[in-house]
Coordinates of all heavy atoms in Angstrom, one line a residue:
M1 N 0.8 -1.2 0.0 CA 0.0 0.0 0.0 C 0.9 1.3 0.0 O 0.4 2.3 -0.4 CB -0.9 0.0 1.2 CG -1.8 1.2 1.2 SD -3.2 1.1 2.4 CE -2.5 2.1 3.7
N2 N 2.1 1.1 0.4 CA 2.9 2.3 0.5 C 3.0 3.1 -0.8 O 3.0 4.3 -0.8 CB 4.3 2.0 1.0 CG 4.3 1.6 2.5 OD1 3.4 2.0 3.2 ND2 5.3 0.8 2.9
S3 N 3.2 2.4 -1.9 CA 3.4 3.1 -3.2 C 2.1 3.9 -3.6 O 2.1 4.9 -4.2 CB 3.8 2.2 -4.3 OG 2.8 1.3 -4.7
L4 N 0.9 3.3 -3.2 CA -0.3 4.0 -3.5 C -0.4 5.3 -2.7 O -0.7 6.4 -3.2 CB -1.5 3.1 -3.2 CG -2.9 3.8 -3.4 CD1 -3.1 4.2 -4.9 CD2 -4.0 2.8 -3.0
I5 N -0.1 5.2 -1.4 CA -0.2 6.4 -0.5 C 0.9 7.4 -0.9 O 0.7 8.6 -0.9 CB 0.0 6.0 1.0 CG1 -1.2 5.1 1.4 CG2 0.0 7.2 1.9 CD1 -2.6 5.6 1.2
E6 N 2.1 6.9 -1.2 CA 3.2 7.8 -1.6 C 2.9 8.6 -2.9 O 3.4 9.7 -3.1 CB 4.5 7.0 -1.8 CG 5.1 6.5 -0.5 CD 6.2 5.5 -0.7 OE1 6.6 5.2 -1.9 OE2 6.7 4.9 0.3
N7 N 2.1 8.0 -3.7 CA 1.7 8.6 -5.0 C 0.3 9.1 -5.1 O -0.3 9.2 -6.2 CB 2.0 7.6 -6.1 CG 3.5 7.4 -6.3 OD1 4.2 8.2 -6.8 ND2 3.9 6.2 -5.8
I8 N -0.3 9.4 -3.9 CA -1.7 9.7 -3.9 C -2.0 11.0 -4.7 O -3.1 11.1 -5.3 CB -2.2 9.9 -2.4 CG1 -3.7 9.8 -2.3 CG2 -1.7 11.2 -1.8 CD1 -4.2 8.4 -2.2
G9 N -1.1 11.9 -4.9 CA -1.2 13.1 -5.7 C -1.3 12.8 -7.2 O -1.7 13.7 -7.9
K10 N -1.0 11.6 -7.6 CA -1.0 11.2 -9.0 C -2.4 10.6 -9.4 O -2.6 10.4 -10.6 CB 0.0 10.2 -9.3 CG 1.5 10.7 -9.2 CD 2.4 9.6 -9.6 CE 3.9 10.1 -9.4 NZ 4.9 9.1 -9.8
L11 N -3.3 10.4 -8.4 CA -4.6 9.8 -8.7 C -5.4 10.7 -9.6 O -5.4 12.0 -9.4 CB -5.4 9.6 -7.4 CG -5.0 8.4 -6.6 CD1 -5.9 8.3 -5.4 CD2 -5.0 7.1 -7.4
H12 N -6.0 10.1 -10.6 CA -6.9 10.9 -11.5 C -7.9 9.9 -12.1 O -7.8 8.7 -11.8 CB -6.0 11.5 -12.6 CG -5.3 10.4 -13.5 ND1 -4.2 9.8 -13.1 CD2 -5.7 9.9 -14.7 CE1 -3.8 8.9 -14.0 NE2 -4.7 9.0 -15.0
T13 N -8.8 10.4 -12.8 CA -9.8 9.5 -13.5 C -10.1 10.1 -14.9 O -9.8 11.3 -15.1 CB -11.0 9.2 -12.7 OG1 -11.7 8.1 -13.3 CG2 -11.9 10.4 -12.5
T14 N -10.8 9.4 -15.7 CA -11.3 9.9 -16.9 C -12.7 10.5 -16.7 O -13.4 10.2 -15.7 CB -11.4 8.8 -18.0 OG1 -12.3 7.8 -17.6 CG2 -10.0 8.2 -18.2
E15 N -13.2 11.2 -17.7 CA -14.6 11.7 -17.6 C -15.6 10.5 -17.5 O -16.5 10.5 -16.7 CB -14.9 12.5 -18.8 CG -16.3 13.2 -18.8 CD -16.5 14.1 -19.9 OE1 -15.6 14.8 -20.4 OE2 -17.7 14.2 -20.4
M16 N -15.3 9.5 -18.3 CA -16.2 8.3 -18.2 C -16.1 7.6 -16.9 O -17.1 7.1 -16.3 CB -15.8 7.3 -19.4 CG -16.3 7.8 -20.7 SD -15.8 6.6 -22.1 CE -16.5 5.1 -21.5
G17 N -14.9 7.5 -16.3 CA -14.7 6.9 -15.0 C -15.4 7.7 -14.0 O -16.0 7.1 -13.1
E18 N -15.4 9.0 -14.0 CA -16.1 9.8 -13.1 C -17.6 9.6 -13.1 O -18.2 9.4 -12.1 CB -15.8 11.3 -13.3 CG -16.5 12.2 -12.3 CD -16.1 13.7 -12.5 OE1 -15.0 14.0 -13.1 OE2 -16.8 14.6 -12.1
E19 N -18.1 9.5 -14.3 CA -19.6 9.2 -14.5 C -19.9 7.9 -14.0 O -20.9 7.7 -13.3 CB -20.0 9.4 -15.9 CG -19.9 10.8 -16.4 CD -20.0 10.9 -18.0 OE1 -20.4 9.9 -18.6 OE2 -19.8 12.0 -18.5
R20 N -19.1 6.9 -14.2 CA -19.3 5.5 -13.8 C -19.3 5.4 -12.3 O -20.2 4.7 -11.7 CB -18.2 4.6 -14.4 CG -18.4 3.1 -14.1 CD -17.4 2.3 -14.9 NE -16.0 2.8 -15.0 CZ -15.5 3.3 -16.1 NH1 -16.1 3.4 -17.2 NH2 -14.2 3.7 -16.1
I21 N -18.3 6.0 -11.7 CA -18.2 6.0 -10.2 C -19.4 6.6 -9.5 O -20.1 6.1 -8.6 CB -16.9 6.6 -9.7 CG1 -15.7 5.8 -10.2 CG2 -16.9 6.8 -8.2 CD1 -14.4 6.5 -10.1
K22 N -19.8 7.8 -10.0 CA -21.0 8.5 -9.5 C -22.3 7.6 -9.6 O -23.1 7.5 -8.7 CB -21.2 9.8 -10.2 CG -20.2 10.9 -9.7 CD -20.5 12.2 -10.4 CE -19.5 13.3 -10.0 NZ -19.8 14.6 -10.7
R23 N -22.4 7.0 -10.8 CA -23.6 6.2 -11.1 C -23.6 4.9 -10.2 O -24.6 4.6 -9.5 CB -23.6 5.8 -12.5 CG -24.8 5.0 -12.9 CD -24.8 4.6 -14.4 NE -23.7 3.7 -14.7 CZ -22.7 4.1 -15.5 NH1 -22.7 5.3 -16.1 NH2 -21.7 3.3 -15.8
N24 N -22.4 4.3 -10.1 CA -22.3 3.0 -9.3 C -22.6 3.2 -7.8 O -23.2 2.4 -7.2 CB -21.0 2.3 -9.5 CG -20.8 1.8 -10.9 OD1 -21.8 1.7 -11.7 ND2 -19.6 1.4 -11.3
L25 N -22.1 4.3 -7.3 CA -22.2 4.6 -5.9 C -23.4 5.5 -5.5 O -23.6 5.7 -4.4 CB -20.9 5.2 -5.4 CG -19.6 4.4 -5.5 CD1 -18.4 5.1 -4.9 CD2 -19.8 3.1 -4.7
Q26 N -24.0 6.0 -6.6 CA -25.2 6.9 -6.4 C -24.8 8.1 -5.5 O -25.4 8.4 -4.5 CB -26.4 6.1 -5.8 CG -26.8 5.0 -6.8 CD -27.9 4.2 -6.2 OE1 -28.0 4.0 -5.0 NE2 -28.8 3.7 -7.1
I27 N -23.7 8.8 -5.9 CA -23.3 9.9 -5.1 C -23.2 11.2 -6.1 O -23.1 11.0 -7.3 CB -21.9 9.7 -4.5 CG1 -20.8 9.4 -5.6 CG2 -21.9 8.7 -3.4 CD1 -19.4 9.4 -5.0
E28 N -23.3 12.3 -5.5 CA -23.1 13.6 -6.1 C -22.0 14.3 -5.5 O -22.0 14.5 -4.3 CB -24.4 14.4 -6.0 CG -25.5 13.9 -6.9 CD -25.2 14.0 -8.4 OE1 -24.5 14.9 -8.8 OE2 -25.6 13.0 -9.1
T29 N -21.0 14.6 -6.2 CA -19.8 15.4 -5.7 C -19.2 16.2 -6.9 O -19.3 15.8 -8.0 CB -18.8 14.5 -5.1 OG1 -17.7 15.3 -4.6 CG2 -18.2 13.4 -6.0
D30 N -18.6 17.3 -6.6 CA -18.0 18.1 -7.6 C -16.6 17.6 -8.0 O -16.1 17.9 -9.0 CB -17.9 19.6 -7.1 CG -19.2 20.2 -7.0 OD1 -20.2 19.9 -7.7 OD2 -19.3 21.2 -6.1
N31 N -16.0 16.8 -7.1 CA -14.7 16.3 -7.3 C -14.5 14.8 -6.9 O -14.2 14.5 -5.7 CB -13.6 17.2 -6.6 CG -12.2 16.9 -7.0 OD1 -11.9 15.8 -7.4 ND2 -11.4 17.9 -6.9
I32 N -14.7 13.9 -7.8 CA -14.7 12.5 -7.5 C -13.3 12.0 -7.1 O -13.2 11.1 -6.3 CB -15.3 11.7 -8.7 CG1 -15.7 10.3 -8.2 CG2 -14.3 11.6 -9.8 CD1 -16.9 10.3 -7.3
V33 N -12.3 12.6 -7.6 CA -10.9 12.2 -7.3 C -10.7 12.5 -5.8 O -10.2 11.7 -5.1 CB -9.9 12.9 -8.2 CG1 -8.5 12.6 -7.7 CG2 -10.0 12.4 -9.6
E34 N -11.0 13.7 -5.4 CA -10.9 14.1 -3.9 C -11.7 13.2 -3.1 O -11.3 12.8 -2.0 CB -11.2 15.6 -3.7 CG -10.2 16.5 -4.2 CD -8.8 16.3 -3.6 OE1 -8.7 16.1 -2.4 OE2 -7.8 16.4 -4.3
W35 N -12.9 12.8 -3.5 CA -13.8 11.9 -2.8 C -13.1 10.6 -2.6 O -13.1 10.0 -1.5 CB -15.1 11.8 -3.5 CG -16.2 11.0 -2.7 CD1 -17.1 11.5 -1.9 CD2 -16.4 9.6 -2.8 NE1 -17.9 10.5 -1.4 CE2 -17.4 9.3 -1.9 CE3 -15.7 8.6 -3.4 CZ2 -17.9 8.0 -1.7 CZ3 -16.2 7.3 -3.2 CH2 -17.3 7.0 -2.3
C36 N -12.5 10.1 -3.7 CA -11.9 8.8 -3.6 C -10.6 8.9 -2.7 O -10.3 7.9 -1.9 CB -11.5 8.3 -5.0 SG -12.9 7.8 -6.0
I37 N -9.8 9.9 -2.8 CA -8.7 10.1 -2.0 C -9.0 10.1 -0.5 O -8.4 9.4 0.3 CB -7.9 11.4 -2.3 CG1 -7.2 11.2 -3.7 CG2 -6.9 11.8 -1.3 CD1 -6.6 12.5 -4.2
D38 N -10.1 10.8 -0.2 CA -10.6 10.8 1.2 C -10.9 9.4 1.7 O -10.5 9.0 2.8 CB -11.9 11.6 1.3 CG -12.4 11.7 2.7 OD1 -11.6 12.1 3.6 OD2 -13.6 11.4 2.9
K39 N -11.5 8.5 0.8 CA -11.8 7.2 1.2 C -10.6 6.3 1.3 O -10.4 5.5 2.2 CB -12.8 6.5 0.2 CG -14.1 7.2 0.1 CD -14.9 7.3 1.4 CE -16.1 8.1 1.3 NZ -16.2 9.3 2.1
I40 N -9.6 6.5 0.4 CA -8.4 5.7 0.4 C -7.6 6.0 1.6 O -7.0 5.1 2.2 CB -7.6 6.0 -0.9 CG1 -8.3 5.4 -2.1 CG2 -6.2 5.4 -0.8 CD1 -7.8 5.9 -3.5
L41 N -7.6 7.2 2.1 CA -6.8 7.6 3.2 C -7.5 7.4 4.6 O -6.9 7.5 5.6 CB -6.4 9.1 3.2 CG -5.5 9.5 2.0 CD1 -5.2 11.0 2.0 CD2 -4.2 8.7 2.1
D42 N -8.8 6.9 4.5 CA -9.5 6.6 5.7 C -8.8 5.5 6.5 O -8.3 4.6 6.0 CB -10.9 6.1 5.3 CG -11.8 5.9 6.5 OD1 -11.6 4.9 7.3 OD2 -12.7 6.7 6.7
K43 N -8.7 5.7 7.8 CA -8.0 4.8 8.7 C -8.6 3.4 8.7 O -7.9 2.4 9.0 CB -7.9 5.3 10.1 CG -9.3 5.3 10.8 CD -9.2 5.8 12.2 CE -10.5 5.8 12.9 NZ -10.5 6.1 14.3
N44 N -9.8 3.2 8.2 CA -10.5 1.9 8.2 C -10.4 1.3 6.8 O -10.9 0.2 6.6 CB -11.9 2.0 8.6 CG -12.0 2.4 10.1 OD1 -11.4 1.9 10.9 ND2 -12.9 3.4 10.3
A45 N -9.8 1.9 5.9 CA -9.7 1.4 4.5 C -8.8 0.2 4.5 O -7.7 0.1 5.1 CB -9.1 2.5 3.5
E46 N -9.2 -0.9 3.7 CA -8.5 -2.1 3.5 C -8.0 -2.1 2.1 O -8.8 -2.0 1.2 CB -9.3 -3.3 3.8 CG -9.8 -3.4 5.3 CD -10.6 -4.6 5.5 OE1 -10.7 -5.5 4.7 OE2 -11.2 -4.7 6.6
T47 N -6.7 -2.1 1.9 CA -6.1 -2.0 0.6 C -5.3 -3.3 0.2 O -4.6 -3.8 1.0 CB -5.2 -0.8 0.5 OG1 -5.9 0.4 0.9 CG2 -4.6 -0.6 -0.9
E48 N -5.5 -3.8 -1.0 CA -4.8 -4.9 -1.5 C -4.5 -4.7 -3.0 O -5.2 -4.1 -3.7 CB -5.5 -6.2 -1.3 CG -6.8 -6.3 -2.0 CD -7.5 -7.7 -1.8 OE1 -6.8 -8.7 -1.5 OE2 -8.8 -7.7 -1.9
R49 N -3.3 -5.2 -3.3 CA -2.9 -5.2 -4.7 C -3.1 -6.6 -5.3 O -2.5 -7.5 -4.8 CB -1.5 -4.7 -4.9 CG -1.2 -4.6 -6.4 CD 0.1 -3.8 -6.7 NE 0.4 -3.9 -8.1 CZ 1.4 -3.3 -8.6 NH1 2.2 -2.5 -7.9 NH2 1.6 -3.4 -9.9
I50 N -3.8 -6.7 -6.4 CA -4.0 -7.9 -7.1 C -3.6 -7.6 -8.6 O -4.4 -6.9 -9.2 CB -5.4 -8.5 -7.0 CG1 -5.8 -8.7 -5.5 CG2 -5.6 -9.7 -7.8 CD1 -7.3 -9.1 -5.3
G51 N -2.6 -8.2 -9.0 CA -2.1 -8.0 -10.4 C -1.8 -6.5 -10.6 O -1.0 -5.9 -9.9
K52 N -2.4 -5.9 -11.7 CA -2.1 -4.5 -12.0 C -3.0 -3.5 -11.3 O -2.8 -2.3 -11.6 CB -2.3 -4.4 -13.5 CG -3.7 -4.6 -14.0 CD -3.8 -4.4 -15.5 CE -5.3 -4.6 -15.9 NZ -5.5 -4.3 -17.4
N53 N -3.9 -3.9 -10.4 CA -4.8 -3.0 -9.8 C -4.7 -3.0 -8.2 O -4.4 -4.0 -7.6 CB -6.2 -3.3 -10.1 CG -6.5 -3.0 -11.6 OD1 -6.0 -2.1 -12.2 ND2 -7.4 -3.8 -12.2
W54 N -5.0 -1.8 -7.7 CA -5.2 -1.7 -6.2 C -6.7 -1.8 -6.0 O -7.4 -1.2 -6.8 CB -4.7 -0.3 -5.7 CG -3.2 -0.1 -5.7 CD1 -2.5 0.6 -6.6 CD2 -2.3 -0.6 -4.7 NE1 -1.2 0.5 -6.2 CE2 -1.0 -0.2 -5.1 CE3 -2.5 -1.4 -3.6 CZ2 0.1 -0.5 -4.3 CZ3 -1.3 -1.7 -2.8 CH2 -0.1 -1.3 -3.2
Y55 N -7.1 -2.4 -4.9 CA -8.5 -2.5 -4.5 C -8.6 -2.0 -3.1 O -8.0 -2.5 -2.2 CB -9.0 -4.0 -4.6 CG -9.0 -4.5 -6.1 CD1 -7.9 -5.2 -6.5 CD2 -10.0 -4.2 -6.9 CE1 -7.8 -5.6 -7.8 CE2 -10.0 -4.7 -8.2 CZ -8.9 -5.4 -8.7 OH -8.8 -5.9 -10.0
I56 N -9.4 -1.0 -2.9 CA -9.6 -0.3 -1.6 C -11.0 -0.5 -1.2 O -11.9 -0.1 -1.9 CB -9.2 1.2 -1.7 CG1 -7.8 1.4 -2.2 CG2 -9.4 1.8 -0.3 CD1 -7.7 1.6 -3.7
S57 N -11.2 -1.2 -0.1 CA -12.5 -1.4 0.4 C -12.7 -0.6 1.7 O -11.9 -0.7 2.6 CB -12.7 -2.9 0.8 OG -12.6 -3.7 -0.4
V58 N -13.8 0.3 1.7 CA -14.0 1.2 2.8 C -15.4 1.7 2.8 O -15.9 2.0 1.7 CB -13.0 2.3 2.9 CG1 -13.1 3.2 1.6 CG2 -13.1 3.1 4.1
K59 N -16.1 1.7 3.9 CA -17.4 2.4 4.1 C -18.4 1.9 3.0 O -19.1 2.7 2.4 CB -17.3 3.9 4.1 CG -16.5 4.4 5.3 CD -16.5 5.9 5.4 CE -15.7 6.3 6.6 NZ -15.6 7.7 6.8
G60 N -18.4 0.6 2.8 CA -19.5 0.1 1.9 C -19.2 0.2 0.4 O -20.0 -0.1 -0.4
C61 N -17.9 0.5 0.1 CA -17.6 0.6 -1.4 C -16.2 0.0 -1.6 O -15.4 -0.1 -0.7 CB -17.7 2.0 -1.9 SG -16.4 3.1 -1.3
R62 N -16.0 -0.3 -2.9 CA -14.7 -0.9 -3.3 C -14.2 0.0 -4.5 O -14.9 0.0 -5.5 CB -14.8 -2.3 -3.7 CG -13.4 -2.9 -3.9 CD -13.5 -4.4 -4.0 NE -12.1 -5.0 -3.9 CZ -11.8 -6.2 -4.3 NH1 -12.7 -7.0 -4.7 NH2 -10.6 -6.6 -4.2
I63 N -13.1 0.6 -4.3 CA -12.5 1.5 -5.4 C -11.4 0.7 -6.1 O -10.6 0.1 -5.4 CB -11.9 2.8 -4.7 CG1 -13.0 3.5 -4.0 CG2 -11.3 3.6 -5.8 CD1 -12.5 4.6 -3.1
T64 N -11.3 0.8 -7.4 CA -10.3 0.1 -8.2 C -9.4 1.1 -8.8 O -9.9 2.0 -9.5 CB -10.9 -0.8 -9.3 OG1 -11.9 -1.7 -8.7 CG2 -9.9 -1.5 -10.1
V65 N -8.1 1.0 -8.6 CA -7.1 2.0 -9.1 C -6.0 1.2 -9.8 O -5.5 0.2 -9.3 CB -6.4 2.8 -7.9 CG1 -5.4 3.7 -8.5 CG2 -7.5 3.5 -7.1
N66 N -5.7 1.6 -11.0 CA -4.6 1.0 -11.8 C -3.3 1.4 -11.1 O -3.0 2.5 -10.8 CB -4.6 1.5 -13.2 CG -3.5 0.9 -14.0 OD1 -2.3 1.3 -13.9 ND2 -3.8 -0.1 -14.8
A67 N -2.5 0.3 -10.8 CA -1.3 0.5 -10.0 C -0.2 1.2 -10.8 O 0.8 1.8 -10.2 CB -0.8 -0.8 -9.5
N68 N -0.2 1.2 -12.1 CA 0.9 1.8 -12.9 C 0.6 3.2 -13.2 O 1.4 4.1 -13.1 CB 1.1 1.0 -14.2 CG 1.6 -0.4 -13.9 OD1 2.5 -0.6 -13.1 ND2 1.0 -1.4 -14.5
S69 N -0.7 3.5 -13.6 CA -1.0 4.9 -14.1 C -1.7 5.7 -13.0 O -1.9 6.9 -13.2 CB -1.9 4.8 -15.3 OG -3.2 4.2 -14.9
Y70 N -2.1 5.1 -11.9 CA -2.8 5.7 -10.8 C -4.2 6.3 -11.3 O -4.7 7.3 -10.7 CB -2.0 6.8 -10.1 CG -0.8 6.2 -9.4 CD1 0.5 6.2 -10.1 CD2 -0.9 5.5 -8.2 CE1 1.6 5.6 -9.5 CE2 0.2 4.9 -7.7 CZ 1.4 4.9 -8.3 OH 2.5 4.3 -7.7
T71 N -4.8 5.6 -12.2 CA -6.1 6.0 -12.7 C -7.1 5.3 -11.9 O -7.1 4.0 -11.7 CB -6.3 5.5 -14.2 OG1 -5.2 6.1 -15.0 CG2 -7.6 6.0 -14.7
I72 N -8.1 6.0 -11.4 CA -9.2 5.5 -10.7 C -10.1 4.9 -11.7 O -10.7 5.7 -12.5 CB -9.9 6.5 -9.8 CG1 -9.0 7.2 -8.8 CG2 -11.1 5.8 -9.0 CD1 -9.5 8.4 -8.2
I73 N -10.3 3.6 -11.8 CA -11.0 3.0 -12.9 C -12.5 2.9 -12.6 O -13.3 3.3 -13.4 CB -10.5 1.5 -13.1 CG1 -9.0 1.6 -13.5 CG2 -11.3 0.8 -14.1 CD1 -8.3 0.2 -13.4
T74 N -12.9 2.5 -11.4 CA -14.3 2.4 -11.0 C -14.4 2.2 -9.5 O -13.4 2.1 -8.8 CB -14.9 1.2 -11.8 OG1 -16.3 1.3 -11.6 CG2 -14.4 -0.2 -11.2
A75 N -15.6 2.2 -9.1 CA -16.0 1.9 -7.7 C -17.3 1.3 -7.7 O -18.2 1.6 -8.5 CB -15.9 3.2 -6.9
H76 N -17.5 0.4 -6.7 CA -18.8 -0.3 -6.6 C -19.2 -0.3 -5.1 O -18.4 -0.3 -4.3 CB -18.7 -1.7 -7.1 CG -18.4 -1.8 -8.6 ND1 -19.3 -1.6 -9.5 CD2 -17.2 -2.0 -9.2 CE1 -18.8 -1.8 -10.7 NE2 -17.5 -2.0 -10.6
K77 N -20.5 -0.4 -4.9 CA -21.0 -0.7 -3.6 C -20.7 -2.1 -3.2 O -20.8 -3.0 -4.0 CB -22.5 -0.5 -3.5 CG -22.9 1.0 -3.6 CD -24.4 1.1 -3.4 CE -24.8 2.6 -3.5 NZ -26.3 2.8 -3.3
I78 N -20.4 -2.3 -1.9 CA -20.2 -3.7 -1.4 C -21.5 -4.0 -0.7 O -21.9 -3.3 0.2 CB -19.0 -3.8 -0.4 CG1 -17.7 -3.3 -1.1 CG2 -18.9 -5.2 0.2 CD1 -16.6 -3.2 -0.2
T79 N -22.1 -5.1 -1.1 CA -23.4 -5.6 -0.5 C -23.2 -7.0 0.0 O -22.7 -7.9 -0.7 CB -24.6 -5.4 -1.4 OG1 -24.3 -6.2 -2.6 CG2 -24.8 -4.0 -1.8
S80 N -23.7 -7.3 1.2 CA -23.8 -8.6 1.8 C -22.5 -9.4 1.7 O -22.4 -10.5 1.5 CB -24.9 -9.4 1.0 OG -26.1 -8.8 1.0
G81 N -21.4 -8.6 1.9 CA -20.1 -9.3 2.0 C -19.6 -9.7 0.6 O -18.5 -10.3 0.6
V82 N -20.3 -9.5 -0.4 CA -19.9 -9.9 -1.8 C -19.1 -8.7 -2.4 O -19.6 -7.6 -2.4 CB -21.1 -10.3 -2.6 CG1 -20.6 -10.6 -4.0 CG2 -21.8 -11.4 -2.0
I83 N -17.9 -9.0 -2.9 CA -17.2 -7.9 -3.6 C -17.2 -8.2 -5.1 O -17.1 -9.2 -5.6 CB -15.7 -7.9 -3.1 CG1 -15.8 -7.5 -1.6 CG2 -14.9 -6.9 -3.8 CD1 -14.4 -7.6 -0.9

């Protein structure tokens, strides 16, 4: 997780990614990247790297970040313990 936190300032997303995250999580925010950073830095966040992606689970959602480009790909609600 250290490289994700060390490079937190590199996090970004695409316009399509922003729309997808807002739709999947049913949230309204002016800055989805800042919203995701807040969740990633949450003391209760559980982070794991699987292959080319980081997966951050926190507060009922799972955020997917590409580990090479630091692109926030998507986020989904976590329901009934199923990820």
